[in-house]
Amino acid sequence: MAKIRVVVVDDSALVRSLLTEIINRQPDMQCVGAASDPLVAREMIRELSPDVITLDVEMPRMDGLEFLSRLMRLRPMPVVMVSTLTEQGADITLRALEMGAVDYVAKPRIGITSGLNELASDIVDKIRIAAAAHVKRLGPAPAPAAAAAAPHGAPPAEAPRAPLPRISTEKVICIGASTGGTEAIREVLMPMPADSPAIVITQHMPPGFTTSFAARLDSLCKIRVEEARHGQRILPGHAYIAPGGHHLRIDRSGSNYVAVVEDTEPVNRHRPSVEVLFRSAARVLGPNALGIMLTGMGGDGAQAMREMKDAGSYNYVQDEASCVVFGMPRMAIQAGAAHEILPLTQIASALLNRLASNPALVRHRI
């Protein structure tokens, strides 16, 4: 079989050397070039036609984001970002994912040699996933609207065709995602009205990134979006994201749903794990749950989504053509967990239409 051809782009000679060594240790991949800046990388890409590039964010002559933007407009290809694990690094990485990067590696600020070697299996897994990912040409970014467009400065999302009736506060929407999920989640959340049912989300992310991710979504959406905190009530009009490195599940306290955030052992190699969230939804929410499985590698959450369906949940699964990686959705479909398999752009409208038209989902007016 042909090896995955990788070009490494990083201004650090040490990082280039380490990544080259990590890649070349794999029997199924080869580092065919290492560039110190994007201008050198541009020529390498033209000459070598790699399958994947790893791209540093902070580099001379042209920063990684500018280079990524040009690359994804002119010659879209799988990119794995390499960014420093800082708050600023997290913000930049999220912008890179918005531009079309498939995934990212958070490199340590100190102890580069030991840190990258500890991350070696994660790095090569992400390169393999990227090599098989569906990459699209970069289009125009979502245009920000005036701050007065929404109660907390969010731009207006497209309104549903008809006003939503008052939705039962018992309903909770549960979303699971991994590779490609940051932009898929944005696509689902932006059309949700301010009075939508509560939304609880597990996106595979390391510590340090989910705070920026939640803040970015909060600035774009009509609903409030925040990192989940242990013990807080799960309320309509809010979305709660599992903190990086912690599981998130739903429990009941009296008549209220509450978030349980814990750092117990990884499940399906992940923490947070979609399996943990969806299994709690099956147990606690039953028919009050609505499940959504979005793009991602592997099978995390598939069996638990089937448990949700068996407990009465109604479930949506993203289709293959619109996924960056059709792993978790495929496994959910194979598990018999899906009621509807839809393109990403149709999931929010299908969900809103169901909420607006299904009498069983509407709270009786007194």
Side-chain angles (χ1 to χ4, degrees):
M1 293 179 61
K3 292 186 177 184
I4 300 168
R5 295 162 52 82
V6 185
V7 164
V8 171
V9 187
D10 200 295
D11 67 335
S12 164
L14 175 60
V15 172
R16 292 198 304 274
S17 174
L18 290 168
L19 289 176
T20 298
E21 182 181 345
I22 288 168
I23 291 164
N24 286 339
R25 285 203 301 259
Q26 308 307 308
D28 60 338
M29 60 182 66
Q30 177 185 7
C31 181
V32 295
S36 58
D37 68 57
L39 299 185
V40 175
R42 183 174 60 191
E43 298 306 314
M44 280 190 178
I45 291 168
R46 286 175 179 164
E47 293 174 9
L48 300 172
S49 296
D51 301 305
V52 179
I53 70 169
T54 70
L55 178 62
D56 190 13
V57 170
E58 299 176 356
M59 287 180 295
R61 299 212 281 177
M62 183 189 299
D63 69 59
L65 284 184
E66 183 180 353
F67 178 65
L68 178 66
S69 175
R70 295 184 183 187
L71 183 69
M72 298 309 290
R73 284 191 170 90
L74 300 174
R75 185 173 177 169
M77 63 184 305
V79 177
V80 176
M81 301 300 295
V82 180
S83 61
T84 306
L85 184 56
T86 63
E87 184 175 346
Q88 181 182 9
D91 291 337
I92 292 171
T93 299
L94 290 169
R95 288 173 59 197
L97 294 173
E98 181 178 331
M99 291 176 181
V102 174
D103 213 331
Y104 59 93
V105 176
K107 66 181 177 183
R109 299 176 67 184
I110 57 175
I112 293 291
T113 300
S114 60
L116 282 180
N117 280 318
E118 288 173 6
L119 291 169
S121 62
D122 192 35
I123 291 167
V124 295
D125 282 348
K126 290 177 186 289
I127 290 172
R128 290 187 184 101
I129 292 167
H134 299 154
V135 177
K136 298 182 175 71
R137 190 175 299 274
L138 178 63
H152 59 293
E158 183 180 349
R161 294 171 188 167
L164 281 180
R166 296 180 68 196
I167 304 301
S168 169
T169 55
E170 293 287 298
K171 296 296 170 186
V172 178
I173 300 164
C174 299
I175 301 176
S178 185
T179 309
T182 56
E183 288 308 294
I185 289 168
R186 177 184 63 79
E187 185 85 29
V188 173
L189 293 194
M190 283 187 65
M192 300 304 293
D195 61 349
S196 76
I199 302 172
V200 186
I201 301 164
T202 289
Q203 159 75 43
H204 293 161
M205 269 189 165
F209 282 82
T210 42
T211 301
S212 294
F213 181 43
R216 173 176 171 269
L217 289 174
D218 188 60
S219 73
L220 294 171
C221 297
K222 293 179 178 179
I223 58 173
R224 288 286 184 180
V225 185
E226 59 187 296
E227 240 185 357
R229 302 187 310 277
H230 181 71
Q232 74 181 133
R233 285 183 61 191
I234 294 173
L235 299 170
H238 291 67
Y240 306 89
I241 297 174
H246 292 75
H247 293 305
L248 172 61
R249 59 183 175 86
I250 301 167
D251 209 341
R252 187 181 280 275
S253 177
S255 61
N256 300 316
Y257 296 130
V258 295
V260 178
V261 176
E262 52 197 3
D263 60 355
T264 50
E265 289 300 309
V267 174
N268 297 330
R269 297 176 54 199
H270 297 289
R271 188 174 60 204
S273 166
V274 179
E275 192 85 8
V276 171
L277 174 60
F278 281 9
R279 184 161 287 144
S280 73
R283 178 177 58 84
V284 175
L285 301 176
N288 286 324
L290 293 146
I292 301 175
M293 185 72 86
L294 299 175
T295 174
M297 186 69 179
D300 184 35
Q303 292 301 320
M305 193 178 207
R306 176 56 194 259
E307 292 175 22
M308 288 176 65
K309 183 180 181 184
D310 292 343
S313 170
Y314 193 87
N315 296 338
Y316 301 89
V317 174
Q318 186 176 350
D319 74 350
E320 182 173 7
S322 65
C323 281
V324 174
V325 179
F326 190 57
M328 288 160 54
R330 184 199 304 276
M331 296 300 290
I333 293 165
Q334 291 178 355
H339 288 94
E340 296 186 45
I341 303 165
L342 297 172
L344 176 61
T345 55
Q346 296 180 21
I347 290 175
S349 60
L351 178 63
L352 290 171
N353 288 337
R354 180 171 178 80
L355 289 169
S357 63
N358 191 332
L361 301 183
V362 181
R363 180 171 55 195
H364 294 293
R365 293 179 174 85
I366 300 176

